[in-house]
Amino acid sequence: MKSMKLYTWFVVAMSVITACVIVTNVMRKSSRPVARHTVKCDSVGCKKVTITVIDSMKFMQDYVRKDVKCKGLYLSGWTVGSLASINKFVRLASATEINTYVVDIKDDDGFVGYRSSVPSVLAVDGWMKKYNVDRMVKAFHDNGIYIIGRVVCFKDPLLASRKLDLAIKSKNGGVWRDPHGRAWLNPYNREAWAYIVAVAREGVSKGFDEIQFDYVRFANDGDISDMDFSAYKETKHEVIDKFLAYVHQQLPGVKLSADVFGIICESPGDVEGIGQELESVGKDIDCISPMVYPSHYALGQTIRGIHYQKPDLDPYGVVYNSLVKAKGRIAQVAGYKATVRPFLQDFTAKWLDSGNYMKYGAGELRLQIKAVYDAGYDEWLVWNASNRYSESAFVIDEKK
């Protein structure tokens, strides 16, 4: 009798173990991350939301990119290098209107932020392990988050210093440098174009939904008159336009966007001398993001006929009138391809003199978002270099 009981317990135990192994294998094959619950509260009330918290890299699933109306934030490579930070921003997107993150592929230090296999990048030791790109992409995609890969173009002190033939030259024959001692890539140099496209193409293969080109322009500070472009016949804006046409041709089927100065919404032609002209910069890409940061407009700037003595003190007015002016100008260009998705300011411009700036927080950010909608646009991105955002500015999404 005793042996019979032992046998019965043995069979039960083996059944349990077998079931556990089967379940484990099924979980590994399905590779689904675990759903958790959290509670999001604001001044109106609370709601329970389901999110997917990432504990490991044991999951994988098919992902199909969907076009979205982007409401997003910029995240640096260092930020998404932290699992805690990834989960923090997953929770934010799961509870609010945020549905997009702009993540550095190559920042303005010149380094690709993850282990790269691009030969031209490897040749200059051009990558630095800031984050695990596969973990980040899977974490965001598994939570329905759209990922834009930011590729800084011509502000690349690493490549410009390690391949001097790609750098802007000064009229004395040496490498031109900005006030911080940084070399810049020469936008006229087609080899520099190929390097940028190779980095972007690898980003697409990693799973980024869109490529956003930043610093797609000439340098604008320092001794600009000392730059030597005497060997070239194209104007600055012509060469930037040709670069964007080139990336469009080299990356077929990829959604492409570019950051542009906010002031080009107002300025005629390329009066800033950076190679960005509103009427032509968007003809070959899908989206432009004017950086309409109020703090970045000059004191006394006129926008759409309105004088702003201290632009940083009027976040709604500056953003609204910049975008309305841009909308009117673009409407006059037949076949203009790019939509407009502005970058908004969520930082305090402490570098301005006292009285010329104010503290920015949720209220100032919400005014800018309202200005976007009032100007007739429905997408926006938010910039804070340290990724410290005014989270209470974002509307809780009851549908999520």
Side-chain angles (χ1 to χ4, degrees):
M1 188 71 179
K2 184 176 181 181
S3 61
M4 190 67 178
K5 288 183 178 180
L6 287 173
Y7 176 78
T8 301
W9 280 110
F10 175 77
V11 171
V12 171
M14 290 303 295
S15 299
V16 171
I17 291 171
T18 301
C20 289
V21 170
I22 292 172
V23 170
T24 300
N25 287 336
V26 169
M27 289 179 68
R28 284 176 177 169
K29 288 178 182 178
S30 65
S31 301
R32 298 291 298 177
V34 179
R36 307 274 179 87
H37 298 287
T38 189
V39 175
K40 177 71 177 181
C41 302
D42 66 2
S43 59
V44 177
C46 300
K47 72 162 188 167
K48 188 165 108 170
V49 296
T50 300
I51 63 173
T52 303
V53 178
I54 307 307
D55 293 319
S56 70
M57 284 191 60
K58 292 181 180 179
F59 61 89
M60 182 181 294
Q61 68 181 46
D62 292 335
Y63 173 79
V64 178
R65 179 176 70 82
K66 296 180 179 179
D67 289 327
V68 300
K69 295 296 184 182
C70 294
K71 300 175 182 180
L73 312 177
Y74 161 72
L75 302 178
S76 72
W78 295 115
T79 291
V80 297
S82 161
L83 192 57
S85 291
I86 288 176
N87 284 330
K88 169 189 172 181
F89 286 105
V90 164
R91 287 192 291 270
L92 180 65
S94 296
T96 72
E97 62 189 322
I98 295 300
N99 61 15
T100 301
Y101 290 122
V102 179
V103 179
D104 287 330
I105 291 177
K106 181 166 78 76
D107 199 0
D108 64 1
D109 58 6
F111 286 101
V112 174
Y114 49 78
R115 184 183 297 273
S116 176
S117 299
V118 176
S120 53
V121 172
L122 298 176
V124 294
D125 292 327
W127 69 271
M128 177 186 293
K129 183 64 179 298
K130 298 178 183 179
Y131 66 102
N132 183 318
V133 63
D134 297 320
R135 181 176 71 180
M136 181 276 297
V137 167
K138 292 173 185 175
F140 287 164
H141 279 172
D142 280 343
N143 285 278
I145 299 168
Y146 187 82
I147 315 170
I148 300 174
R150 175 177 176 256
V151 177
V152 171
C153 296
F154 301 112
K155 186 181 181 182
D156 189 332
L158 183 141
L159 183 61
S161 296
R162 295 181 182 180
K163 293 205 70 174
L164 300 181
D165 54 315
L166 303 185
I168 295 174
K169 301 300 190 298
S170 69
K171 291 179 179 177
N172 65 16
V175 172
W176 180 90
R177 296 183 184 274
D178 67 18
H180 302 282
R182 294 174 297 219
W184 282 57
L185 293 177
N186 181 357
Y188 285 99
N189 191 297
R190 268 53 174 179
E191 187 179 343
W193 293 12
Y195 182 92
I196 294 165
V197 165
V199 170
R201 185 177 289 116
E202 183 180 48
V204 173
S205 75
K206 294 293 185 181
F208 286 91
D209 299 301
E210 176 180 329
I211 299 297
Q212 180 186 85
F213 296 104
D214 199 2
Y215 287 91
V216 56
R217 63 176 177 85
F218 287 76
N220 71 322
D221 56 355
D223 188 357
I224 304 300
S225 63
D226 188 44
M227 294 182 185
D228 185 7
F229 299 121
S230 58
Y232 308 103
K233 296 181 180 179
E234 300 154 306
T235 65
K236 288 182 177 180
H237 89 81
E238 285 173 342
V239 79
I240 293 300
D241 292 346
K242 288 182 178 180
F243 167 73
L244 291 174
Y246 170 80
V247 300
H248 171 71
Q249 183 268 329
Q250 291 292 312
L251 299 169
V254 178
K255 188 167 184 178
L256 302 174
S257 57
D259 299 332
V260 298
F261 272 19
I263 191 61
I264 76 166
C265 297
E266 172 67 26
S267 301
D270 181 28
V271 298
E272 311 300 323
I274 57 173
Q276 294 179 353
E277 183 176 278
L278 181 64
E279 280 78 5
S280 61
V281 73
K283 67 182 182 180
D284 288 302
I285 55 176
D286 300 289
C287 181
I288 59 171
S289 289
M291 298 174 285
V292 288
Y293 313 137
S295 61
H296 283 38
Y297 287 77
L299 299 179
Q301 178 68 51
T302 297
I303 306 171
R304 197 168 159 251
I306 301 171
H307 182 79
Y308 291 94
Q309 186 57 41
K310 299 178 179 182
D312 194 59
L313 305 187
D314 192 349
Y316 176 89
V318 169
V319 172
Y320 174 77
N321 284 297
S322 294
L323 295 179
V324 169
K325 181 68 175 283
K327 193 179 188 73
R329 289 173 61 183
I330 290 172
Q332 302 302 311
V333 182
Y336 199 85
K337 182 179 180 182
T339 59
V340 175
R341 181 205 294 150
F343 250 118
L344 308 178
Q345 175 178 333
D346 192 18
F347 55 86
T348 299
K350 295 180 179 179
W351 64 86
L352 297 175
D353 291 337
S354 178
N356 293 331
Y357 73 93
M358 64 181 180
K359 180 176 175 58
Y360 270 56
E364 290 71 27
L365 178 54
R366 203 67 220 175
L367 283 172
Q368 294 173 79
I369 293 172
K370 183 179 186 301
V372 174
Y373 296 143
D374 289 351
Y377 293 111
D378 54 9
E379 296 186 84
W380 43 265
L381 303 171
V382 183
W383 180 271
N384 179 293
S386 300
N387 306 158
R388 299 188 185 98
Y389 291 101
S390 303
E391 296 181 13
S392 62
F394 307 127
V395 174
I396 291 179
D397 190 339
E398 298 294 341
K399 296 179 182 178
K400 290 185 176 180

